[in-house]
Amino acid sequence: MTVEADQPLPTPEPPLQPVATLLLVDDEPNVLSALKRVLRSENYLVLTANDGEAALAILEQEAVDVVISDCLMPGMDGAELLSQVQRMRPECVRILLTGQSDMNATVRAINEGHIYSYIAKPWDDHKLRLTLRQAVAHQLAEREQKRLEALTLQQNQELVELNATLEQRVEARTQELKQITDMLDAAYDELKHSYVMATRVFSSLITQRMPRHLHANAQVGDLIQAFADTHELEDSLRRDLLMAAALYNLGKLGWDDRMLTTPSERLFAEDRKAYRRYPETGESLLMSLEHLQGTARFIRHHREHWNGDGYPNRLKGEAIPYGARLLALAVDFIELQRGMILPRKVPRQQALDLLRKLSGRVYEPSLCQAFIALCVEQAPDLGQAGKTMLSLETRQLKPGMILGQDIHSATGILLLNEGKELTQHLIDKLCKLEEVEGGSYTLMVCKPGDSDPSESDGNDA
């Protein structure tokens, strides 16, 4: 018996924890080595065993999420091993690795071992990795469902006990009813929180395929949340939009690393076609989840254009779902700044200018105006939680204010970086630069303390 763990991929600190533990079982060392090579780029802890007995011994000692077993092995074959795994660790996902001549054993594994899937030899590396990702996501979803069921059962039992004693406490009836209401509200909030957390787990599986500097979902979600709060969107629309912000790039899971890191405007030919299919792919992956139908619809249509030349259905104007129109603004605004659309990172103010320029062609004019106003006045994407953020012109700046974002010149040159404390000298230089360029700067600033930085000169920021 051998137990080995793959060396983790080099990642930015802190290192990522493995998303799952895999146990590979095969009597041929070269097959185990080949499987490990295929999975080296995945964030798994990989254990190996060369026969069924060794595999069962590992299962007694280790918390294993997925077992992949060869079908034909000396002694205990794959079907018998997976059957014992099912009895020993029913929560463990079981996958059979089988050849064309192993059909009888495969049927046994399905009937006795209740396997999740089988993979035919010789396997396709991409399909093998995709099957494992789906298996891990399936197990995470089942764990969350069991947790919620246990929580609901516990809360139902508590309600039963309360109702049994309710009539015996008539004098405190009003207070008890209030306590029960509070408990129900807390339970409902917990269920909603769990629902959101499950989606975030799923979203994290998507973002792990992308480099850290291209993780855009969190900022897109912040923008959607702030817009929903400001414009008091109804709860169902808000929920579907936040789910769409977490899952909008689900359709990119099947892309290779090169496509994931190439700006969309640099994709051509077949790559371009694959890119234009990702909204439909994302929708199709969610269609079986009834509670995410609204989310799936927003994801499908968030690349439609107001003038009708978008995709996949060339919808025009009001025919585009409202949530898809808003999602498109948030996604494009963040991805422009990350360099995911154009072959360069677009500074924040220039990204806003580009949204404004495309209003009426790509974006709904009134919604685009409201979105830009949100970004200018509140700047939720800057992550300045707990700080007062204000949009000021150069003449309103005061020494001691702190920049909330980088300032770039009209030609894209970085002038001042985020977090810089303004001095009178710097403010004078900005004013002078405005005179030379013939334009004006609008800056996002925060100031220590709770006072409004514009109060001292009477201007309303």
Side-chain angles (χ1 to χ4, degrees), residues 146-156 187 190-191 194:
K146 290 178 180 178
R147 191 188 75 81
L148 291 176
E149 289 173 352
L151 177 63
T152 302
L153 183 62
Q154 175 189 347
Q155 291 164 349
N156 287 341
E190 172 65 15
L191 288 173
S194 299

Side-chain angles (χ1 to χ4, degrees), residues 58-109:
I58 292 175
L59 285 170
E60 291 179 352
Q61 302 295 328
E62 301 287 343
V64 176
D65 299 295
V66 181
V67 174
I68 304 176
S69 174
D70 185 29
C71 183
L72 298 181
M73 296 185 296
M76 185 185 305
D77 65 12
E80 182 180 352
L81 169 61
L82 295 183
S83 179
Q84 293 199 39
V85 172
Q86 195 274 333
R87 292 191 294 271
M88 181 178 177
R89 292 282 184 87
E91 76 283 359
C92 185
V93 176
R94 299 165 294 283
I95 298 175
L96 188 68
L97 194 61
T98 176
Q100 293 295 331
S101 62
D102 306 336
M103 188 52 63
N104 290 335
T106 302
V107 172
R108 282 181 53 215

Side-chain angles (χ1 to χ4, degrees), residues 381-454:
D381 56 300
L382 294 180
Q384 298 288 344
K387 297 182 181 179
T388 301
M389 296 293 300
L390 296 172
S391 174
L392 301 177
E393 296 178 0
T394 308
R395 61 183 179 83
Q396 296 175 288
L397 298 176
K398 299 295 180 184
M401 292 180 177
I402 307 298
L403 285 180
Q405 67 174 87
D406 295 344
I407 305 176
H408 294 80
S409 70
T411 58
I413 299 174
L414 177 64
L415 299 177
L416 295 173
N417 61 292
E418 174 187 348
K420 183 73 173 180
E421 181 176 347
L422 294 176
T423 64
Q424 189 60 53
H425 176 68
L426 290 175
I427 295 171
D428 291 342
K429 290 187 69 174
L430 286 173
C431 292
K432 184 65 175 178
L433 188 58
E434 283 184 338
E435 294 178 6
V436 173
E437 293 183 346
S440 62
Y441 293 105
T442 300
L443 297 84
M444 298 300 300
V445 300
C446 51
K447 178 185 178 183
D450 298 326
S451 60
D452 186 334
S454 66

